[in-house]
Amino acid sequence: MGELDPDMFDPMCPSSALPFRIGDKWTGMVLLCLEGGPRRFTQLQVPLRAVTAKVLAETLRAMIRDGLVERTEFAENPPRVQYALTPLGRSLLPVIAALRAWTRAHLPELLAARAAAHEEAR
Amino acid sequence: MGELDPDMFDPMCPSSALPFRIGDKWTGMVLLCLEGGPRRFTQLQVPLRAVTAKVLAETLRAMIRDGLVERTEFAENPPRVQYALTPLGRSLLPVIAALRAWTRAHLPELLAARAAAHEEAR
DNA sequence: CAGAATCCGTTGCGATACTG
DNA sequence: CAGTATCGCAACGGATTCTG
């Protein structure tokens, strides 16, 4: 299991225009980051460098509370913490796949409609 | 095509705990309201009586802008306006079905985890 | 390393009142 | 009937600084 691709989330992609969201703003991306296996806090921060540590920690805590993610703390020095998907969290991956399928098929159409409406308003 | 069921959205259902959202807070419910055919503003307000007219109008405008809904105004007195799903809006219905399937299968588990975490915190 | 604490701006949303 | 206008607030999320 290698490192996460720093560019697995293209900052130029119009994801902010998506008509759906999983949990809070970053929950869906965290799920994708953990799809390939457990990760550490700093590993998540590589592709998610647009998120502050505070918000990432909040996101993870909410996911733990909802049983989507499991946190494991190792009594080492320096401290090491691992985040992994639970079966419940993993059950959301097919849902994400369905949302991405819709996005691939229809998001350009939505963006075109939005751009046209924007044009009209000038 | 009859009237919308006033109780098609149970105010006691834990939908606010859903880990996903379509568009803004009420977008998904509007899509469901329009699934059975075109509706008028006041018809939407029956099952969506928890939404103020302002917010419902904002929601509809955003959906129109994104090409999900088509608005038709009839030059009558009193005025009559009709909202209908576009093909693009209709393409979201299977997505909603997938989200509902996940909810039926897994939401109780999520709520249980949340309740357990809440218990733990006392 | 893995956060916590604090501060603060923006946005979403609701309540209320009014209108063509 | 089908909205708009105005107000206000609470929640979300970002920036910055600090810590075991």
Side-chain angles (χ1 to χ4, degrees), chain B residues 70-76 79-83:
Chain B
E70 187 185 20
R71 192 189 115 117
T72 313
E73 197 172 337
F74 297 93
E76 302 175 358
R80 186 163 67 94
V81 176
Q82 196 177 67
Y83 295 93

Side-chain angles (χ1 to χ4, degrees), chain B residues 21 25-26 52 54-55 79:
Chain B
R21 258 182 54 187
K25 185 170 181 182
W26 306 101
T52 63
K54 174 207 165 197
V55 172

Side-chain angles (χ1 to χ4, degrees), chain A residues 102-113:
Chain A
W102 185 94
T103 300
R104 268 191 301 280
H106 299 292
L107 183 61
E109 193 179 343
L110 187 153
L111 293 176

Side-chain angles (χ1 to χ4, degrees), chain A residues 56-67:
Chain A
L56 180 56
E58 285 172 356
T59 302
L60 287 167
R61 252 185 286 131
M63 297 177 76
I64 291 162
R65 165 179 56 79
D66 287 349

Side-chain angles (χ1 to χ4, degrees), chain A residues 12 24-27 34 39 47 50 58 63 76 103:
Chain A
M12 284 306 106
D24 284 336
K25 185 170 182 184
W26 305 99
T27 305
L34 296 178
R39 302 289 178 182
E58 285 172 356
M63 297 177 76
E76 301 173 359
T103 300

Side-chain angles (χ1 to χ4, degrees), chain A residues 21 25-26 54-55 79:
Chain A
R21 257 179 58 185
K25 185 170 182 184
W26 305 99
K54 173 207 164 197
V55 172

Side-chain angles (χ1 to χ4, degrees), chain B:
Chain B
M1 174 184 47
E3 294 299 309
L4 291 174
D5 178 5
D7 296 321
M8 69 184 282
F9 302 117
D10 177 2
M12 285 304 106
C13 110
S15 58
S16 61
L18 282 185
F20 19 68
R21 258 182 54 187
I22 311 267
D24 285 336
K25 185 170 181 182
W26 306 101
T27 305
M29 296 189 196
V30 171
L31 284 168
L32 290 177
C33 285
L34 296 178
E35 183 174 10
R39 303 288 178 183
R40 312 176 50 168
F41 193 84
T42 29
Q43 286 183 304
L44 296 176
Q45 284 190 302
V46 174
L48 297 176
R49 56 194 176 282
V51 198
T52 63
K54 174 207 165 197
V55 172
L56 181 56
E58 284 171 357
T59 302
L60 288 167
R61 260 199 311 258
M63 295 175 77
I64 292 161
R65 166 179 54 81
D66 288 349
L68 305 178
V69 164
E70 187 185 20
R71 192 189 115 117
T72 313
E73 197 172 337
F74 297 93
E76 302 175 358
N77 200 307
R80 186 163 67 94
V81 176
Q82 196 177 67
Y83 295 93
L85 290 184
T86 63
L88 184 61
R90 202 161 288 282
S91 76
L92 279 171
L93 292 175
V95 174
I96 297 186
L99 299 183
R100 296 178 118 185
W102 186 94
T103 301
R104 270 191 301 278
H106 299 291
L107 184 60
E109 192 178 345
L110 187 152
L111 293 176
R114 187 177 291 185
H118 189 72
E119 237 0 72
E120 182 134 357
R122 310 181 38 223

